């Protein structure tokens, strides 16, 4: 069993704190999907069909929508990676989106982002918890 990491140290400003926690959660979600072989990375672990790769893909679309202004026409579809998408591709897209989102965040005042960043922290934390459970069901891995 691995030990959980404590919350991140952040800068003193509101935006520093919000982005610091979002980055911490992004890394947690990505770590849960890293190194999981096919087909387990996309195999549903619960009756709803939730799977690790689908969570990462969904969170990529969430950030693109809320921070980069990209429209989403079907939120349910964002949970389903295409059969030809590899875990490496989905994870790379998630990391790239996070980097692009952080660039967009840097350009705006914290007050303009407060709700969106708080929502993304809540959404990412909720799905990080789902990913924790799914990964433990797959191979027993626990902790961040």
């Amino acid at each position: 069993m691995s030990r959980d990491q404590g919350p991140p140290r952040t800068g003193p400003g509101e935006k520093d704190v919000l982005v610091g926690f979002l980055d911490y959660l992004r890394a947690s979600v990505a770590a849960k999907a890293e190194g999981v072989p096919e087909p387990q990375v996309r195999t549903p672990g619960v009756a709803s069909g939730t799977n690790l790769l689908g969570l990462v893909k969904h969170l990529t679309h969430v950030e693109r929508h809320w921070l980069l202004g990209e429209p989403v026409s079907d939120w349910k579809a964002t949970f389903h990676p295409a059969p030809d998408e590899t875990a490496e591709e989905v994870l790379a897209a998630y990391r790239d989106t996070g980097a692009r989102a952080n660039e967009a965040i840097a350009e705006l005042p914290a007050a303009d982002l407060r709700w969106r960043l708080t929502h993304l922290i809540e959404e990412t934390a909720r799905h990080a918890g789902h990913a924790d459970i799914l990964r433990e069901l797959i191979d027993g891995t626990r902790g961040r």
Side-chain angles (χ1 to χ4, degrees), residues 10-89:
T10 64
E14 179 181 20
K15 195 188 296 189
D16 297 325
V17 171
L18 295 172
V19 172
F21 271 84
L22 183 57
D23 281 341
Y24 171 71
L25 291 166
R26 286 170 174 154
S28 296
V29 167
K32 290 300 172 176
E34 288 172 340
V36 178
E38 292 283 357
Q40 291 90 345
V41 73
R42 68 178 72 236
T43 300
V46 292
S48 67
T50 304
N51 64 80
L52 286 172
L53 202 56
L55 289 174
V56 175
K57 183 162 179 130
H58 170 69
L59 287 170
T60 302
H61 285 280
V62 168
E63 291 210 25
R64 287 176 180 169
H65 175 75
W66 288 106
L67 295 173
L68 302 175
E70 295 182 16
V72 174
S73 59
D74 182 358
W75 282 107
K76 282 180 134 181
T78 67
F79 282 97
H80 303 286
D84 63 338
E85 286 182 293
T86 68
E88 292 78 19
E89 290 168 339

Side-chain angles (χ1 to χ4, degrees), residues 17 27 37 50 97 102 121 132:
V17 171
T50 304
T97 296
N102 282 353
I121 289 167
D132 283 341

